[in-house]
Amino acid sequence: MKLSVLSSPALVSGLMVVCLHSVWFPILVFRNTSGLILLLGLDFSAMIFPVVYIGAIAVSFLFVVMMFHIQITEIHEEVLHYLPESGIIGLIFWWEIFFILDIEIIPLISTQRNTTSLRYMVYAGKVRSWTNLETLGNLLYTYYFFWFLVSSLFLLVAMIGAIVLTMHRTTKVKRQDVFRRNTIYSRRIIMKRTPDPLTIYLRYRRLIGLNPIREMAVIFSRSWPLNLFKGFKHL
Amino acid sequence: MSEFAPICIYLVISLLVSLIPLGIPFPFSSNTSTYPEKLSAYECGFDPFGDARSRFDIRFYLVSILFIILDPEVTFFFPWAVPLNKIDPFGSWSMMAFLLILTIGFLYEWKRGASDRE
């Protein structure tokens, strides 16, 4: 089943509207771009696109939607306010697209297949051809190793930067020495120093007595759990 | 390129399998029995006190960011593993240098406690 160039509009059409009505639209953009790259013959990049772009970057977009208090009414109020500047920037991007496009190549209405079927067979490529992974791997780690290591530095900086920015002091305070905690806790259990809830309740009733005013006073005082333990001396 | 035809079929079928149970109730639901009070949030009869969203802990976003960072690391492993007989030990050692640089970041994350469960 040979997919022709006719199916690329089927992948792209109508779904490249990145008006950001929801996060769904960038996800569709990535999916269609992945399909296009697949048609171009770059299978590795086409498989990495969903993994990295959709699985990581679109998920980050989702997190942004979850975290921030975005109300749709606020967005609608402010859209027209920003229209001049954003309109100019949008027109500049649209104008830059014409530098890349060569209009004779794109079939606007591709009805006959003769325009795209003029290609010759490379039979040597059918015997043994290098996959995308192989070609990338041959060059990236040997001839272009410097850029590869620069990319690792980028990742390192991003990792450290993300941790520095998001971890404030409260996330460090709660750490405790787990081994010490276990020994203390097990000692109390073994020596039976902590009473069960029923005992606590019975002691509480006996401590308070049947005076409701005194009972309320003890309950509404801030240290009422401690008052229970004060009564242990009598029991 | 014809090896990707099964993937295309798989995508279409998975889309159908998830969309058909989603879309089947719509012809059978009745729109006449809903009114604004039925659709609004229920807070024991009171009007809603505030927004339903609660405070979002930033540590979940940190998990997502760390996935973004380490996912390209795995992505770099794939083209390295295929031509290992053709790249000389130089290729292997460049990947080890990459791993070393990222291990520094991983050590920092570990000691800082960025992925602790508290």
Side-chain angles (χ1 to χ4, degrees), chain A residues 24-226:
Chain A
W24 185 240
F25 285 111
I27 292 179
L28 280 176
V29 166
F30 293 140
R31 231 177 56 137
N32 295 328
T33 315
S34 164
L36 275 178
I37 292 181
L38 193 62
L39 286 175
L40 279 173
L42 301 171
D43 44 13
F44 177 62
S45 301
M47 292 303 134
I48 291 300
F49 255 63
V51 172
V52 173
Y53 274 107
I54 299 179
I57 295 178
V59 164
S60 295
F61 273 108
L62 270 176
F63 270 97
V64 165
V65 167
M66 277 197 282
M67 278 200 295
F68 296 122
H69 192 70
I70 300 175
Q71 299 280 18
I72 297 201
T73 51
E74 286 173 10
I75 292 180
H76 281 323
E77 280 166 11
E78 309 220 343
V79 148
L80 289 176
H81 179 68
Y82 290 115
L83 194 60
E85 296 89 3
S86 59
I88 289 174
I89 294 177
L91 279 176
I92 289 176
F93 279 129
W94 181 73
W95 169 67
E96 279 181 1
I97 287 179
F98 291 109
F99 287 133
I100 311 173
L101 292 184
D102 200 359
I103 310 229
E104 295 134 23
I105 292 184
I106 296 180
L108 286 176
I109 307 172
S110 33
T111 49
Q112 54 248 52
R113 294 203 43 187
N114 290 334
T115 55
T116 55
S117 68
L118 202 67
R119 57 187 73 185
Y120 62 95
M121 281 289 185
V122 181
Y123 286 102
K126 286 194 182 293
V127 174
R128 162 85 170 101
S129 69
W130 281 21
T131 60
N132 238 335
L133 282 173
E134 230 173 311
T135 49
L136 262 179
N138 246 337
L139 292 176
L140 186 62
Y141 306 98
T142 51
Y143 287 98
Y144 302 107
F145 72 99
F146 180 68
W147 306 113
F148 174 56
L149 292 176
V150 165
S151 76
S152 80
L153 280 175
F154 278 143
L155 291 175
L156 175 73
V157 167
M159 219 162 132
I160 294 184
I163 294 174
V164 161
L165 285 175
T166 55
M167 291 202 51
H168 32 266
R169 210 169 288 161
T170 55
T171 49
K172 204 175 167 335
V173 164
K174 267 193 168 178
R175 305 196 72 173
Q176 53 187 354
D177 196 352
V178 183
F179 304 112
R180 189 159 172 265
R181 183 76 206 145
N182 279 342
T183 50
I184 292 174
Y185 186 62
S186 62
R187 191 159 164 262
R188 284 184 79 189
I189 288 291
I190 290 169
M191 302 187 60
K192 288 202 175 175
R193 289 244 182 105
T194 55
D196 53 329
L198 178 62
T199 322
I200 289 181
Y201 178 69
L202 289 173
R203 288 171 182 172
Y204 161 70
R205 290 292 308 196
R206 238 192 288 183
L207 169 73
I208 295 304
L210 294 173
N211 193 345
I213 298 177
R214 195 162 164 231
E215 197 165 345
M216 287 296 163
V218 172
I219 289 175
F220 283 107
S221 73
R222 272 183 170 262
S223 57
W224 78 265
L226 288 177

Side-chain angles (χ1 to χ4, degrees), chain B residues 5 17 68 72 80 100 102 107:
Chain B
V17 164
I68 293 181
W80 173 74
L100 182 76
L102 281 182
L107 266 177

Side-chain angles (χ1 to χ4, degrees), chain B residues 37-100:
Chain B
E37 271 121 31
K38 194 174 183 190
L39 294 173
S40 59
Y42 179 69
E43 283 195 32
C44 293
F46 293 104
D47 293 325
F49 287 106
D51 203 12
R53 302 183 184 195
S54 59
R55 225 183 133 90
F56 193 79
D57 208 351
I58 200 89
R59 271 172 291 160
F60 300 118
Y61 195 52
L62 189 64
V63 170
S64 163
I65 289 183
L66 288 175
F67 174 70
I68 293 181
I69 306 291
L70 295 173
D71 198 28
E73 179 179 352
V74 175
T75 306
F76 276 121
F77 261 113
F78 284 118
W80 173 74
V82 172
L84 262 182
N85 56 344
K86 283 192 277 292
I87 51 180
D88 302 327
F90 181 77
S92 303
W93 283 110
S94 69
M95 175 52 103
M96 293 305 135
F98 173 82
L99 273 184
L100 182 76

